Amino acid sequence: MNTFKPEIQELLKAVEKKYSQNLRTTTDFDVFSLHLKLQLDVSISTSTLKRLWGYVKDKHKPRNQTLDSLAQYIGFFNFNEFCAYLKDNSLCNSSFFVTKQIQTRNLSEGEEIEIGWSPNRYLHLQYQGDSWFEVVEAQHSKLVQGDRFEAVSFLMGQPLSLGYVLRDNQKTPPFIAGRNGGLTLINRIHAK
C-alpha cells in the first residue's frame, strides 16, 4: 500500500471493502480498473492502481483526480470530503500505519539528517544525543540555524510536533512542522 499518507491507506481499505475483494495480483488490478470504468465511467489505469496499492514500487504521488475518483467510488464527493469524514469520525481517529521513519534511538551523536515539508521548508539537523537536535541549516522555515529541539522520531507524511524549541537558551511556544500534509522529506545524510 502507498504509505505517503494514512488517509490514502484508509481510502484504499475502504475501496477494497466496498469492492469485497483484496487487490493483490495483476489480474485483480485489471478487473478492478474495468469495474471502475463500468461503475463510474472513469478510467484509472492498471499501472496507476498498482502504484497506488504498492504492488509496483514508485515514488510518484497519486494525482488528485485518481484519489477523487476512488473517493467517489465509496460514496464521497471527492478525496477532501473523505479526509474530512476521517477527521470527524471517532472510529477513524487512531490507527496503526506503515511509513518511512527515522528514530532517534538509531542515530549516533553527530549524525546528520534532513527534513522538509510543504511548500518548500527544509532543515538540515545534527543529532546532539539524548533525543536533541540542532538546526545546522534552515530554508524558508520559522526555525533558524542554532535552534535546538527534542524529538524521538520523524515520520514521513506526518506533522512534526515540538513541545518547544530552544532559541538563545529560551523556550519558544510549541511548534509544528508540516501541519498540512506532514513531512515530505526525511533522510539521513551520509558523510562524503
Side-chain angles (χ1 to χ4, degrees):
M1 282 192 169
N2 184 300
T3 57
F4 181 69
K5 285 178 85 171
E7 291 86 352
I8 294 174
Q9 289 182 7
E10 292 297 325
L11 176 65
L12 301 182
K13 283 194 271 183
V15 166
E16 286 185 343
K17 183 176 180 182
K18 175 171 178 158
Y19 186 54
S20 300
Q21 184 175 335
N22 292 330
L23 300 172
R24 299 288 180 261
T25 68
T26 297
T27 303
D28 293 340
F29 293 109
D30 289 337
V31 172
F32 184 61
S33 178
L34 180 60
H35 175 76
L36 288 173
K37 179 68 174 163
L38 295 172
Q39 291 287 310
L40 297 177
D41 195 29
V42 297
S43 295
I44 301 177
S45 72
T46 300
S47 60
T48 296
L49 294 171
K50 286 179 180 179
R51 282 193 305 270
L52 191 57
W53 259 264
Y55 184 81
V56 173
K57 300 299 178 205
D58 194 304
K59 294 188 183 213
H60 286 89
K61 291 182 185 177
R63 293 172 52 189
N64 289 338
Q65 182 180 355
T66 301
L67 298 175
D68 287 345
S69 295
L70 291 174
Q72 289 167 6
Y73 175 71
I74 60 171
F76 291 88
F77 180 71
N78 58 26
F79 182 63
N80 287 337
E81 184 180 279
F82 175 74
C83 290
Y85 160 78
L86 290 178
K87 285 183 181 179
D88 293 339
N89 186 336
S90 62
L91 297 175
C92 298
N93 279 341
S94 299
S95 67
F96 292 101
F97 63 97
V98 178
T99 190
K100 178 180 179 183
Q101 64 179 303
I102 295 175
Q103 295 183 342
T104 302
R105 69 177 182 221
N106 297 329
L107 297 175
S108 301
E109 193 171 322
E111 194 167 348
E112 297 180 354
I113 66 169
E114 59 184 355
I115 63 172
W117 60 97
S118 290
N120 59 354
R121 311 306 188 235
Y122 173 84
L123 295 178
H124 177 156
L125 307 170
Q126 184 179 58
Y127 183 55
Q128 304 293 300
D130 294 325
S131 300
W132 281 91
F133 291 85
E134 182 171 327
V135 177
V136 175
E137 177 188 355
Q139 295 176 11
H140 312 288
S141 174
K142 291 185 174 143
L143 297 183
V144 298
Q145 184 178 6
D147 282 352
R148 297 180 66 232
F149 62 85
E150 192 173 20
V152 295
S153 65
F154 301 87
L155 304 171
M156 183 68 94
Q158 298 300 309
L160 174 65
S161 298
L162 305 174
Y164 62 91
V165 174
L166 277 180
R167 178 176 288 167
D168 300 323
N169 291 322
Q170 301 290 316
K171 289 183 179 180
T172 68
F175 178 81
I176 188 165
R179 180 188 313 264
N180 298 320
L183 298 178
T184 57
L185 168 73
I186 61 170
N187 283 320
R188 290 172 106 153
I189 299 174
H190 300 288
K192 295 178 181 171

PDB file of all heavy atoms in Angstrom, residues 6 19-21 24-25 29 43 49 60 66 71 84 90 99-101 119-121 123 135 144 155 164 166 175 186 188:
ATOM      1  N   PRO A   6      -1.593   8.461   5.720  1.00  0.00           N
ATOM      2  CA  PRO A   6      -2.528   7.498   6.329  1.00  0.00           C
ATOM      3  C   PRO A   6      -3.926   7.607   5.740  1.00  0.00           C
ATOM      4  O   PRO A   6      -4.634   6.615   5.647  1.00  0.00           O
ATOM      5  CB  PRO A   6      -2.515   7.879   7.809  1.00  0.00           C
ATOM      6  CG  PRO A   6      -1.240   8.590   8.010  1.00  0.00           C
ATOM      7  CD  PRO A   6      -0.918   9.269   6.707  1.00  0.00           C
ATOM      8  N   TYR A  19     -15.519  -3.051  -2.679  1.00  0.00           N
ATOM      9  CA  TYR A  19     -15.328  -3.951  -3.804  1.00  0.00           C
ATOM     10  C   TYR A  19     -15.461  -5.418  -3.382  1.00  0.00           C
ATOM     11  O   TYR A  19     -15.664  -6.296  -4.203  1.00  0.00           O
ATOM     12  CB  TYR A  19     -13.961  -3.669  -4.432  1.00  0.00           C
ATOM     13  CG  TYR A  19     -13.656  -4.408  -5.707  1.00  0.00           C
ATOM     14  CD1 TYR A  19     -14.518  -4.357  -6.800  1.00  0.00           C
ATOM     15  CD2 TYR A  19     -12.485  -5.146  -5.836  1.00  0.00           C
ATOM     16  CE1 TYR A  19     -14.221  -5.020  -7.978  1.00  0.00           C
ATOM     17  CE2 TYR A  19     -12.181  -5.808  -7.017  1.00  0.00           C
ATOM     18  CZ  TYR A  19     -13.053  -5.748  -8.077  1.00  0.00           C
ATOM     19  OH  TYR A  19     -12.749  -6.397  -9.241  1.00  0.00           O
ATOM     20  N   SER A  20     -15.342  -5.660  -2.082  1.00  0.00           N
ATOM     21  CA  SER A  20     -15.445  -7.005  -1.493  1.00  0.00           C
ATOM     22  C   SER A  20     -14.353  -7.950  -1.990  1.00  0.00           C
ATOM     23  O   SER A  20     -14.564  -9.152  -2.123  1.00  0.00           O
ATOM     24  CB  SER A  20     -16.822  -7.628  -1.762  1.00  0.00           C
ATOM     25  OG  SER A  20     -17.829  -6.840  -1.205  1.00  0.00           O
ATOM     26  N   GLN A  21     -13.204  -7.379  -2.282  1.00  0.00           N
ATOM     27  CA  GLN A  21     -12.087  -8.205  -2.731  1.00  0.00           C
ATOM     28  C   GLN A  21     -10.788  -7.444  -2.509  1.00  0.00           C
ATOM     29  O   GLN A  21     -10.723  -6.240  -2.732  1.00  0.00           O
ATOM     30  CB  GLN A  21     -12.233  -8.527  -4.215  1.00  0.00           C
ATOM     31  CG  GLN A  21     -11.169  -9.444  -4.732  1.00  0.00           C
ATOM     32  CD  GLN A  21     -11.418  -9.847  -6.189  1.00  0.00           C
ATOM     33  OE1 GLN A  21     -12.539  -9.829  -6.666  1.00  0.00           O
ATOM     34  NE2 GLN A  21     -10.352 -10.197  -6.872  1.00  0.00           N
ATOM     35  N   ARG A  24      -4.484  -7.750  -5.076  1.00  0.00           N
ATOM     36  CA  ARG A  24      -3.153  -8.280  -4.790  1.00  0.00           C
ATOM     37  C   ARG A  24      -2.397  -8.738  -6.036  1.00  0.00           C
ATOM     38  O   ARG A  24      -1.195  -8.904  -5.999  1.00  0.00           O
ATOM     39  CB  ARG A  24      -3.249  -9.484  -3.829  1.00  0.00           C
ATOM     40  CG  ARG A  24      -3.867  -9.156  -2.489  1.00  0.00           C
ATOM     41  CD  ARG A  24      -2.922  -8.329  -1.633  1.00  0.00           C
ATOM     42  NE  ARG A  24      -3.510  -8.022  -0.350  1.00  0.00           N
ATOM     43  CZ  ARG A  24      -4.097  -6.878  -0.038  1.00  0.00           C
ATOM     44  NH1 ARG A  24      -4.182  -5.917  -0.909  1.00  0.00           N
ATOM     45  NH2 ARG A  24      -4.609  -6.674   1.151  1.00  0.00           N
ATOM     46  N   THR A  25      -3.103  -9.011  -7.131  1.00  0.00           N
ATOM     47  CA  THR A  25      -2.441  -9.554  -8.320  1.00  0.00           C
ATOM     48  C   THR A  25      -2.701  -8.644  -9.514  1.00  0.00           C
ATOM     49  O   THR A  25      -3.605  -7.798  -9.492  1.00  0.00           O
ATOM     50  CB  THR A  25      -2.973 -10.965  -8.655  1.00  0.00           C
ATOM     51  OG1 THR A  25      -4.335 -10.860  -9.083  1.00  0.00           O
ATOM     52  CG2 THR A  25      -2.866 -11.910  -7.463  1.00  0.00           C
ATOM     53  N   PHE A  29      -6.027  -6.070 -10.393  1.00  0.00           N
ATOM     54  CA  PHE A  29      -5.988  -4.651 -10.787  1.00  0.00           C
ATOM     55  C   PHE A  29      -6.612  -4.436 -12.162  1.00  0.00           C
ATOM     56  O   PHE A  29      -7.304  -3.445 -12.381  1.00  0.00           O
ATOM     57  CB  PHE A  29      -4.554  -4.119 -10.733  1.00  0.00           C
ATOM     58  CG  PHE A  29      -4.004  -4.055  -9.340  1.00  0.00           C
ATOM     59  CD1 PHE A  29      -3.015  -4.935  -8.916  1.00  0.00           C
ATOM     60  CD2 PHE A  29      -4.492  -3.128  -8.419  1.00  0.00           C
ATOM     61  CE1 PHE A  29      -2.517  -4.886  -7.627  1.00  0.00           C
ATOM     62  CE2 PHE A  29      -4.000  -3.075  -7.124  1.00  0.00           C
ATOM     63  CZ  PHE A  29      -3.014  -3.956  -6.727  1.00  0.00           C
ATOM     64  N   SER A  43     -11.626   6.335 -16.004  1.00  0.00           N
ATOM     65  CA  SER A  43     -10.529   5.455 -16.391  1.00  0.00           C
ATOM     66  C   SER A  43      -9.346   5.676 -15.463  1.00  0.00           C
ATOM     67  O   SER A  43      -8.760   6.758 -15.444  1.00  0.00           O
ATOM     68  CB  SER A  43     -10.109   5.739 -17.836  1.00  0.00           C
ATOM     69  OG  SER A  43     -11.147   5.415 -18.720  1.00  0.00           O
ATOM     70  N   LEU A  49      -3.217   2.002 -10.520  1.00  0.00           N
ATOM     71  CA  LEU A  49      -3.735   1.259  -9.363  1.00  0.00           C
ATOM     72  C   LEU A  49      -2.626   0.453  -8.692  1.00  0.00           C
ATOM     73  O   LEU A  49      -2.527   0.423  -7.464  1.00  0.00           O
ATOM     74  CB  LEU A  49      -4.890   0.344  -9.793  1.00  0.00           C
ATOM     75  CG  LEU A  49      -6.154   1.050 -10.275  1.00  0.00           C
ATOM     76  CD1 LEU A  49      -7.141   0.051 -10.874  1.00  0.00           C
ATOM     77  CD2 LEU A  49      -6.812   1.834  -9.135  1.00  0.00           C
ATOM     78  N   HIS A  60       6.033   8.305  -7.140  1.00  0.00           N
ATOM     79  CA  HIS A  60       5.110   9.331  -7.600  1.00  0.00           C
ATOM     80  C   HIS A  60       3.963   9.491  -6.621  1.00  0.00           C
ATOM     81  O   HIS A  60       3.443   8.508  -6.095  1.00  0.00           O
ATOM     82  CB  HIS A  60       4.533   8.965  -8.976  1.00  0.00           C
ATOM     83  CG  HIS A  60       5.510   9.128 -10.087  1.00  0.00           C
ATOM     84  ND1 HIS A  60       6.355   8.130 -10.483  1.00  0.00           N
ATOM     85  CD2 HIS A  60       5.777  10.193 -10.873  1.00  0.00           C
ATOM     86  CE1 HIS A  60       7.105   8.549 -11.477  1.00  0.00           C
ATOM     87  NE2 HIS A  60       6.782   9.803 -11.740  1.00  0.00           N
ATOM     88  N   THR A  66      -7.263  10.906  -9.366  1.00  0.00           N
ATOM     89  CA  THR A  66      -7.340   9.486  -9.036  1.00  0.00           C
ATOM     90  C   THR A  66      -7.946   9.300  -7.648  1.00  0.00           C
ATOM     91  O   THR A  66      -8.851   8.479  -7.455  1.00  0.00           O
ATOM     92  CB  THR A  66      -5.936   8.846  -9.083  1.00  0.00           C
ATOM     93  OG1 THR A  66      -5.400   9.010 -10.397  1.00  0.00           O
ATOM     94  CG2 THR A  66      -5.978   7.385  -8.714  1.00  0.00           C
ATOM     95  N   ALA A  71     -12.562   8.035  -4.069  1.00  0.00           N
ATOM     96  CA  ALA A  71     -13.476   8.511  -3.010  1.00  0.00           C
ATOM     97  C   ALA A  71     -14.918   8.495  -3.515  1.00  0.00           C
ATOM     98  O   ALA A  71     -15.835   8.120  -2.766  1.00  0.00           O
ATOM     99  CB  ALA A  71     -13.071   9.910  -2.554  1.00  0.00           C
ATOM    100  N   ALA A  84     -12.118  14.746   5.453  1.00  0.00           N
ATOM    101  CA  ALA A  84     -12.899  15.431   6.489  1.00  0.00           C
ATOM    102  C   ALA A  84     -13.720  14.416   7.283  1.00  0.00           C
ATOM    103  O   ALA A  84     -13.830  14.512   8.509  1.00  0.00           O
ATOM    104  CB  ALA A  84     -13.809  16.480   5.855  1.00  0.00           C
ATOM    105  N   SER A  90     -14.996   9.310  14.934  1.00  0.00           N
ATOM    106  CA  SER A  90     -14.226   8.861  16.102  1.00  0.00           C
ATOM    107  C   SER A  90     -13.668   7.459  15.916  1.00  0.00           C
ATOM    108  O   SER A  90     -12.683   7.087  16.553  1.00  0.00           O
ATOM    109  CB  SER A  90     -15.088   8.922  17.369  1.00  0.00           C
ATOM    110  OG  SER A  90     -16.204   8.049  17.244  1.00  0.00           O
ATOM    111  N   THR A  99       5.090   3.718   7.518  1.00  0.00           N
ATOM    112  CA  THR A  99       5.656   4.835   6.778  1.00  0.00           C
ATOM    113  C   THR A  99       7.163   4.867   6.984  1.00  0.00           C
ATOM    114  O   THR A  99       7.685   4.261   7.930  1.00  0.00           O
ATOM    115  CB  THR A  99       5.020   6.183   7.219  1.00  0.00           C
ATOM    116  OG1 THR A  99       5.426   7.203   6.323  1.00  0.00           O
ATOM    117  CG2 THR A  99       5.421   6.557   8.635  1.00  0.00           C
ATOM    118  N   LYS A 100       7.855   5.552   6.120  1.00  0.00           N
ATOM    119  CA  LYS A 100       9.290   5.753   6.291  1.00  0.00           C
ATOM    120  C   LYS A 100       9.487   6.586   7.551  1.00  0.00           C
ATOM    121  O   LYS A 100       8.747   7.542   7.796  1.00  0.00           O
ATOM    122  CB  LYS A 100       9.858   6.491   5.076  1.00  0.00           C
ATOM    123  CG  LYS A 100      11.344   6.792   5.183  1.00  0.00           C
ATOM    124  CD  LYS A 100      11.854   7.524   3.951  1.00  0.00           C
ATOM    125  CE  LYS A 100      13.336   7.824   4.100  1.00  0.00           C
ATOM    126  NZ  LYS A 100      13.834   8.600   2.961  1.00  0.00           N
ATOM    127  N   GLN A 101      10.476   6.211   8.344  1.00  0.00           N
ATOM    128  CA  GLN A 101      10.717   6.960   9.573  1.00  0.00           C
ATOM    129  C   GLN A 101      12.186   6.922   9.963  1.00  0.00           C
ATOM    130  O   GLN A 101      12.930   6.046   9.548  1.00  0.00           O
ATOM    131  CB  GLN A 101       9.847   6.429  10.709  1.00  0.00           C
ATOM    132  CG  GLN A 101      10.130   4.991  11.120  1.00  0.00           C
ATOM    133  CD  GLN A 101       9.241   4.550  12.255  1.00  0.00           C
ATOM    134  OE1 GLN A 101       9.222   5.178  13.310  1.00  0.00           O
ATOM    135  NE2 GLN A 101       8.497   3.475  12.042  1.00  0.00           N
ATOM    136  N   PRO A 119       5.323  24.372   1.897  1.00  0.00           N
ATOM    137  CA  PRO A 119       5.534  24.312   0.459  1.00  0.00           C
ATOM    138  C   PRO A 119       6.994  24.103   0.080  1.00  0.00           C
ATOM    139  O   PRO A 119       7.286  23.402  -0.873  1.00  0.00           O
ATOM    140  CB  PRO A 119       5.022  25.657  -0.037  1.00  0.00           C
ATOM    141  CG  PRO A 119       5.191  26.595   1.122  1.00  0.00           C
ATOM    142  CD  PRO A 119       5.020  25.747   2.345  1.00  0.00           C
ATOM    143  N   ASN A 120       7.954  24.658   0.794  1.00  0.00           N
ATOM    144  CA  ASN A 120       9.365  24.497   0.424  1.00  0.00           C
ATOM    145  C   ASN A 120      10.274  24.598   1.648  1.00  0.00           C
ATOM    146  O   ASN A 120      11.354  25.138   1.577  1.00  0.00           O
ATOM    147  CB  ASN A 120       9.767  25.531  -0.627  1.00  0.00           C
ATOM    148  CG  ASN A 120       9.560  26.959  -0.132  1.00  0.00           C
ATOM    149  OD1 ASN A 120       9.012  27.185   0.949  1.00  0.00           O
ATOM    150  ND2 ASN A 120       9.994  27.938  -0.910  1.00  0.00           N
ATOM    151  N   ARG A 121       9.806  24.091   2.773  1.00  0.00           N
ATOM    152  CA  ARG A 121      10.565  24.188   4.029  1.00  0.00           C
ATOM    153  C   ARG A 121      11.613  23.088   4.086  1.00  0.00           C
ATOM    154  O   ARG A 121      11.367  21.957   3.687  1.00  0.00           O
ATOM    155  CB  ARG A 121       9.641  24.067   5.236  1.00  0.00           C
ATOM    156  CG  ARG A 121       8.404  24.943   5.228  1.00  0.00           C
ATOM    157  CD  ARG A 121       8.725  26.397   5.020  1.00  0.00           C
ATOM    158  NE  ARG A 121       7.554  27.225   5.209  1.00  0.00           N
ATOM    159  CZ  ARG A 121       7.082  28.075   4.320  1.00  0.00           C
ATOM    160  NH1 ARG A 121       7.677  28.208   3.160  1.00  0.00           N
ATOM    161  NH2 ARG A 121       6.025  28.800   4.577  1.00  0.00           N
ATOM    162  N   LEU A 123      15.086  21.676   6.638  1.00  0.00           N
ATOM    163  CA  LEU A 123      16.008  21.755   7.772  1.00  0.00           C
ATOM    164  C   LEU A 123      17.087  20.691   7.628  1.00  0.00           C
ATOM    165  O   LEU A 123      16.797  19.534   7.322  1.00  0.00           O
ATOM    166  CB  LEU A 123      15.284  21.523   9.101  1.00  0.00           C
ATOM    167  CG  LEU A 123      14.253  22.538   9.546  1.00  0.00           C
ATOM    168  CD1 LEU A 123      13.625  22.098  10.862  1.00  0.00           C
ATOM    169  CD2 LEU A 123      14.849  23.927   9.675  1.00  0.00           C
ATOM    170  N   VAL A 135      19.649  22.734  14.623  1.00  0.00           N
ATOM    171  CA  VAL A 135      19.457  23.147  13.237  1.00  0.00           C
ATOM    172  C   VAL A 135      20.796  23.661  12.704  1.00  0.00           C
ATOM    173  O   VAL A 135      21.340  24.640  13.219  1.00  0.00           O
ATOM    174  CB  VAL A 135      18.369  24.234  13.112  1.00  0.00           C
ATOM    175  CG1 VAL A 135      18.240  24.700  11.661  1.00  0.00           C
ATOM    176  CG2 VAL A 135      17.031  23.728  13.651  1.00  0.00           C
ATOM    177  N   VAL A 144      15.484  28.474  12.880  1.00  0.00           N
ATOM    178  CA  VAL A 144      16.693  29.091  12.339  1.00  0.00           C
ATOM    179  C   VAL A 144      17.926  28.321  12.802  1.00  0.00           C
ATOM    180  O   VAL A 144      17.874  27.548  13.754  1.00  0.00           O
ATOM    181  CB  VAL A 144      16.810  30.580  12.762  1.00  0.00           C
ATOM    182  CG1 VAL A 144      15.639  31.393  12.214  1.00  0.00           C
ATOM    183  CG2 VAL A 144      16.892  30.711  14.272  1.00  0.00           C
ATOM    184  N   LEU A 155       8.427  11.063  11.062  1.00  0.00           N
ATOM    185  CA  LEU A 155       7.589  10.161  10.283  1.00  0.00           C
ATOM    186  C   LEU A 155       7.169  10.821   8.975  1.00  0.00           C
ATOM    187  O   LEU A 155       6.565  11.904   8.996  1.00  0.00           O
ATOM    188  CB  LEU A 155       6.333   9.778  11.078  1.00  0.00           C
ATOM    189  CG  LEU A 155       6.550   9.146  12.451  1.00  0.00           C
ATOM    190  CD1 LEU A 155       5.234   9.020  13.197  1.00  0.00           C
ATOM    191  CD2 LEU A 155       7.207   7.793  12.304  1.00  0.00           C
ATOM    192  N   TYR A 164       8.512  22.573  22.461  1.00  0.00           N
ATOM    193  CA  TYR A 164       9.165  23.887  22.442  1.00  0.00           C
ATOM    194  C   TYR A 164      10.461  23.757  21.655  1.00  0.00           C
ATOM    195  O   TYR A 164      10.924  22.654  21.364  1.00  0.00           O
ATOM    196  CB  TYR A 164       9.458  24.416  23.852  1.00  0.00           C
ATOM    197  CG  TYR A 164      10.398  23.543  24.654  1.00  0.00           C
ATOM    198  CD1 TYR A 164      11.780  23.762  24.630  1.00  0.00           C
ATOM    199  CD2 TYR A 164       9.927  22.496  25.441  1.00  0.00           C
ATOM    200  CE1 TYR A 164      12.649  22.962  25.342  1.00  0.00           C
ATOM    201  CE2 TYR A 164      10.787  21.690  26.157  1.00  0.00           C
ATOM    202  CZ  TYR A 164      12.151  21.926  26.102  1.00  0.00           C
ATOM    203  OH  TYR A 164      13.013  21.124  26.809  1.00  0.00           O
ATOM    204  N   LEU A 166      14.449  25.438  21.754  1.00  0.00           N
ATOM    205  CA  LEU A 166      15.392  26.271  22.498  1.00  0.00           C
ATOM    206  C   LEU A 166      16.073  27.208  21.506  1.00  0.00           C
ATOM    207  O   LEU A 166      16.770  26.778  20.593  1.00  0.00           O
ATOM    208  CB  LEU A 166      16.449  25.427  23.198  1.00  0.00           C
ATOM    209  CG  LEU A 166      16.078  24.831  24.547  1.00  0.00           C
ATOM    210  CD1 LEU A 166      17.249  24.010  25.100  1.00  0.00           C
ATOM    211  CD2 LEU A 166      15.677  25.896  25.540  1.00  0.00           C
ATOM    212  N   PHE A 175       5.780  24.240  18.580  1.00  0.00           N
ATOM    213  CA  PHE A 175       5.980  24.432  17.146  1.00  0.00           C
ATOM    214  C   PHE A 175       5.530  23.176  16.418  1.00  0.00           C
ATOM    215  O   PHE A 175       5.753  22.059  16.897  1.00  0.00           O
ATOM    216  CB  PHE A 175       7.465  24.699  16.856  1.00  0.00           C
ATOM    217  CG  PHE A 175       7.782  24.859  15.399  1.00  0.00           C
ATOM    218  CD1 PHE A 175       7.559  26.072  14.755  1.00  0.00           C
ATOM    219  CD2 PHE A 175       8.295  23.807  14.657  1.00  0.00           C
ATOM    220  CE1 PHE A 175       7.843  26.232  13.402  1.00  0.00           C
ATOM    221  CE2 PHE A 175       8.585  23.954  13.311  1.00  0.00           C
ATOM    222  CZ  PHE A 175       8.359  25.177  12.687  1.00  0.00           C
ATOM    223  N   ILE A 186      12.449  13.096   4.636  1.00  0.00           N
ATOM    224  CA  ILE A 186      13.237  12.684   5.802  1.00  0.00           C
ATOM    225  C   ILE A 186      14.358  11.795   5.286  1.00  0.00           C
ATOM    226  O   ILE A 186      14.098  10.793   4.636  1.00  0.00           O
ATOM    227  CB  ILE A 186      12.405  11.979   6.908  1.00  0.00           C
ATOM    228  CG1 ILE A 186      11.739  10.694   6.397  1.00  0.00           C
ATOM    229  CG2 ILE A 186      11.383  12.890   7.516  1.00  0.00           C
ATOM    230  CD1 ILE A 186      11.123   9.853   7.517  1.00  0.00           C
ATOM    231  N   ARG A 188      18.624  10.453   6.179  1.00  0.00           N
ATOM    232  CA  ARG A 188      19.910  10.518   6.849  1.00  0.00           C
ATOM    233  C   ARG A 188      20.904  11.030   5.850  1.00  0.00           C
ATOM    234  O   ARG A 188      20.867  10.657   4.668  1.00  0.00           O
ATOM    235  CB  ARG A 188      20.317   9.126   7.333  1.00  0.00           C
ATOM    236  CG  ARG A 188      19.452   8.621   8.481  1.00  0.00           C
ATOM    237  CD  ARG A 188      19.757   7.192   8.778  1.00  0.00           C
ATOM    238  NE  ARG A 188      20.522   7.083   9.993  1.00  0.00           N
ATOM    239  CZ  ARG A 188      20.499   6.010  10.768  1.00  0.00           C
ATOM    240  NH1 ARG A 188      19.773   4.960  10.466  1.00  0.00           N
ATOM    241  NH2 ARG A 188      21.228   5.978  11.859  1.00  0.00           N
TER     242      ARG A 188
END
